[in-house]
Amino acid sequence: DQQVKQNSPSLSVQEGRISILNCDYTNSMFDYFLWYKKYPAEGPTFLISISSIKDKNEDGRFTVFLNKSAKHLSLHIVPSQPGDSAVYFCAASPSGNTPLVFGKGTRLSVIA
Amino acid sequence: GAGVSQSPSNKVTEKGKDVELRCDPISGHTALYWYRQSLGQGLEFLIYFQGNSAPDKSGLPSDRFSAERTGGSVSTLTIQRTQQEDSAVYLCASSIQGLDYGYTFGSGTRLTVV
């Protein structure tokens, strides 16, 4: 039973446009959400996080939105750049002391 | 070191053999995690060490899998009598308390069981 779902395995966006990656979760106990980016042959790298007390967190070109009632979060990248092409994983945890639960990832391709 | 170091980076082994995968976490990180990523799948949690507490082994898929963390630092993941379905990228991560900065992952060990 997947607790964190990324229903789009891949997404293709033109350079300069907005990329929107979506993530849904089923466990209402999740309290902290993170996005990771992964390049081939490398480990995932932390991108941005949000706690359940917020509905938005912004860091440069990256913004994460959280809709708790819908159990949905999204990552917006604007403007998208070719270097953003990677696999993006959504992750969640009920607390800082519980291992993160990851989705299957979405492969983003930014086309120049 | 500056990051999480894993060795070997690649391992090919014959079915039925035992393998050991090593992880050197970031100095000072009290938490250490093992995950694996099979082809087309997300990151699957295996085991979690936090300080001197008993490890959370709830993600280990079978009793062929075990892990230890010596001296609160280096960790070894051991897979006994490897099977083809064990083929995956095994990722180690470490973190300080809390999730504000997420986990720092190593580059992983790609295990292929032939």
Side-chain angles (χ1 to χ4, degrees), chain A:
Chain A
D1 178 36
Q2 263 197 292
Q3 297 186 68
V4 177
K5 300 177 185 179
Q6 294 177 257
N7 292 321
S8 298
S10 63
L11 174 68
S12 194
V13 171
Q14 210 159 17
E15 181 180 7
R17 306 295 269 270
I18 186 171
S19 296
I20 300 176
L21 296 101
N22 293 303
C23 177
D24 297 292
Y25 61 96
T26 57
N27 188 340
S28 57
M29 298 299 291
F30 284 149
D31 210 35
Y32 218 94
F33 305 88
L34 301 88
W35 285 93
Y36 280 80
K37 179 168 76 171
K38 186 181 184 303
Y39 293 119
E42 294 183 12
T45 54
F46 170 70
L47 199 54
I48 192 169
S49 64
I50 188 168
S51 74
S52 59
I53 62 172
K54 294 185 175 182
D55 54 18
K56 175 182 173 181
N57 188 24
E58 195 171 349
D59 183 2
R61 296 186 297 112
F62 303 91
T63 303
V64 56
F65 294 91
L66 175 63
N67 182 334
K68 282 198 72 177
S69 61
K71 295 193 179 71
H72 177 83
L73 65 155
S74 61
L75 174 68
H76 292 210
I77 307 172
V78 55
S80 301
Q81 299 173 354
D84 296 330
S85 297
V87 177
Y88 289 79
F89 290 97
C90 173
S93 172
S95 76
N97 293 323
T98 306
L100 291 173
V101 179
F102 285 83
K104 289 189 175 184
T106 296
R107 181 177 302 277
L108 173 66
S109 299
V110 180
I111 304 161

Side-chain angles (χ1 to χ4, degrees), chain B residues 23-41:
Chain B
C23 172
D24 281 279
I26 291 174
S27 178
H29 280 195
T30 57
L32 186 147
Y33 311 82
W34 284 96
Y35 284 80
R36 74 175 175 182
Q37 185 180 17
S38 304
L39 195 62
Q41 301 298 311

